[in-house]
Amino acid sequence: MGICDAVAVAKILNATLVIPHLEVNPVWQDSSSFVDIFDVDHFIDVLRHEISIVKEPPSEYSWSTREYYATGIRATRIKTAPLHASANWYLENVLPVLQSYGIVAIAPFSHRLAFDKLPTNIQRLRCKVNFEALVFVPGIKSLGDTLVHRLRYGDSGTEFLKERRGDAEKVGSGKFVVLHLRFDKDMAAHSACDFGGGKAEKLALAKYRQVLWQGRVLNSQFSDEELRSQGRCPLTPEEIGLLLAALGFSNSTRLYLASHKVYGGEARISTLKQLFPMMEDKKSLASAEELVEVEGKASLLAAVDYYVSLQSNVFISASPGNMHNALVGHRAYLNLKTIRPNMVLLGPLFLNKSLEWSEFQLAVVNGHKSRQGQIRLRKEKQSIYTYPVPDCMCQL
């Protein structure tokens, strides 16, 4: 999303874009660069009639590189870009620096361009970058295609999958569901919700929250019941399993788990595996040799999951977030089915321990009738990357 905005800002300023530098996320600790993830030549080629793009700054601007100045403050760096800044803000505050020095670096740049009151050609350009210019490198696409083929047809050299191929053929659909299980330790800590681990877990997550965000994410002023009633707690593996079962998915459903490290480890997803014994992930579908290029690299692993998610028949995420938002928009653009959990509905349902299964199932089904891939028009201030209609669609 930041890359799409960078292209748009370069267009607004009539400037050449240097391939963006990706900061190392403090949670994922992955130093993968743009060229490790995205096909840079394709990116430049698709946008060649829109803006000029270079892989590195020209040599005459070596005095303004990150390496030369390291973390020092330099006149060509803009650090004050507000969240959701307007096009005029860039013309008034960034263009003068660009005209004076010939080069400018804007950092930080996450969510630094508004979604409203922009020219139509700028909005369309963001769509073009997101859905056409940004494609993964061949290695990620090849691995993703391998995983998708094995999910659909069970075609693998492992004895485990060979045994299960017969089960798949009985079902006969070749279809699969991707579950983005956003239940990592940082997500659990950030939410400030209670996940059944008692006082020890609460203290451990509070400490982790302080270490990771240095006081920028405070302990919640709400109780766990209030947070769940507001839909602010990520669904646990057990809860997402019950949601899927209530929506009609059965133990014959092929389920692909798109996830990093699940908080609580294997023990935490054991119930989900019991409900969906045909659940797979990258490690169960591919050999260590096939995963060697992406292993230990969170951004590349996420890219593989994103690619597989785009090929699935159904996509569902355990809670909102960047991955969820990007895939909701991308799948809407491709007219693919996405289930959006009704978090406000589910919170109180899971708190109600006296609810019969039939009552729970009826409430879930009724509460998700309008949340299964229907096109939703973007409202003011909403992200064009999550809601690409109508901005990214042809106007007749």
Side-chain angles (χ1 to χ4, degrees):
M1 299 175 188
I3 292 166
C4 298
D5 287 348
V7 172
V9 168
K11 182 76 169 181
I12 291 168
L13 298 173
N14 192 26
T16 294
L17 175 70
V18 178
I19 290 295
H21 172 86
L22 309 183
E23 295 286 0
V24 177
N25 185 289
V27 175
W28 308 124
Q29 292 293 313
D30 181 7
S31 59
S32 297
S33 67
F34 184 107
V35 299
D36 294 324
I37 303 168
F38 300 109
D39 187 330
V40 66
D41 293 324
H42 175 86
F43 180 75
I44 293 172
D45 182 60
V46 169
L47 298 173
R48 68 187 184 282
H49 297 306
E50 304 287 352
I51 64 168
S52 172
I53 304 175
V54 294
K55 297 179 182 180
E56 299 289 344
S59 58
E60 59 263 35
Y61 293 108
S62 59
W63 52 269
S64 187
T65 62
R66 297 173 60 86
E67 290 75 20
Y68 183 83
Y69 274 86
T71 57
I73 297 173
R74 57 187 188 272
T76 54
R77 179 176 175 184
I78 304 292
K79 298 177 67 177
T80 56
L83 291 173
H84 308 301
S86 67
N88 282 339
W89 188 91
Y90 285 97
L91 293 171
E92 293 169 5
N93 296 275
V94 180
L95 186 57
V97 177
L98 186 64
Q99 291 171 332
S100 295
Y101 294 94
I103 190 169
V104 65
I106 308 171
F109 191 67
S110 179
H111 307 292
R112 290 312 198 268
L113 183 62
F115 291 118
D116 303 297
K117 298 179 181 178
L118 289 173
T120 301
N121 69 311
I122 297 298
Q123 295 289 65
R124 293 290 179 87
L125 179 57
R126 292 164 111 176
C127 303
K128 185 175 183 178
V129 181
N130 196 31
F131 301 126
E132 296 180 22
L134 281 174
V135 300
F136 295 123
V137 294
I140 288 174
K141 292 169 67 176
S142 177
L143 177 56
D145 286 333
T146 297
L147 299 182
V148 169
H149 189 272
R150 290 173 185 172
L151 281 164
R152 291 202 187 281
Y153 308 111
D155 185 14
S156 171
T158 66
E159 290 302 316
F160 176 63
L161 283 176
K162 282 179 180 177
E163 289 175 9
R164 290 170 64 168
R165 191 182 309 165
D167 295 331
E169 287 169 353
K170 290 175 186 175
V171 178
S173 67
K175 298 178 180 180
F176 70 96
V177 177
V178 167
L179 165 60
H180 179 225
L181 187 58
R182 194 165 182 249
F183 198 67
D184 315 291
K185 187 175 182 180
D186 70 298
M187 182 66 187
H190 193 280
S191 71
C193 298
D194 183 359
F195 297 105
K199 186 176 180 180
E201 178 185 73
K202 204 173 187 70
L203 290 172
L205 290 179
K207 182 178 180 180
Y208 182 74
R209 188 160 50 242
Q210 175 61 31
V211 170
L212 196 60
W213 289 290
Q214 299 294 312
R216 296 191 300 275
V217 177
L218 302 176
N219 295 334
S220 176
Q221 302 303 307
F222 298 100
S223 67
D224 182 69
E225 288 77 13
E226 290 171 323
L227 288 171
R228 292 187 180 279
S229 296
Q230 296 166 14
R232 295 170 64 177
C233 295
L235 297 178
T236 67
E238 299 92 337
E239 290 169 343
I240 196 72
L242 291 173
L243 169 62
L244 287 169
L247 289 173
F249 295 98
S250 69
N251 59 7
S252 64
T253 299
R254 295 184 187 85
L255 192 66
Y256 176 82
L257 188 63
S259 170
H260 189 52
K261 294 179 180 177
V262 176
Y263 174 60
E266 286 296 315
R268 195 77 216 224
I269 60 174
S270 59
T271 301
L272 184 62
K273 284 184 174 179
Q274 289 174 9
L275 284 170
F276 299 98
M278 293 185 70
M279 186 173 76
E280 308 282 6
D281 59 18
K282 291 179 287 293
K283 290 186 177 180
S284 69
L285 288 169
S287 66
E289 291 75 17
E290 290 172 312
L291 295 173
V292 68
E293 295 298 325
V294 299
E295 192 61 47
K297 299 174 182 176
S299 296
L300 301 187
L301 291 167
V304 172
D305 282 341
Y306 189 100
Y307 185 82
V308 173
S309 298
L310 275 186
Q311 319 301 318
S312 68
N313 299 89
V314 178
F315 173 80
I316 183 170
S317 181
S319 65
N322 287 332
M323 182 90 155
H324 164 90
N325 293 340
L327 277 162
V328 164
H330 207 150
R331 289 178 64 87
Y333 182 79
L334 298 173
N335 196 28
L336 299 172
K337 186 167 183 174
T338 302
I339 298 174
R340 297 179 300 108
N342 188 335
M343 306 296 283
V344 175
L345 167 75
L346 293 169
L349 287 180
F350 286 124
L351 286 173
N352 187 348
K353 305 302 181 185
S354 63
L355 206 62
E356 296 287 338
W357 173 253
S358 59
E359 297 174 290
F360 173 79
Q361 187 173 31
L362 181 63
V364 166
V365 170
N366 289 336
H368 288 82
K369 284 182 178 178
S370 63
R371 305 177 70 88
Q372 298 191 36
Q374 294 88 340
I375 292 295
R376 303 174 73 204
L377 297 179
R378 187 177 72 85
K379 299 176 182 178
E380 188 177 0
K381 295 184 179 180
Q382 286 185 330
S383 169
I384 194 174
Y385 307 119
T386 308
Y387 303 100
V389 182
D391 304 83
C392 297
M393 302 301 178
C394 296
Q395 305 295 312
L396 298 178

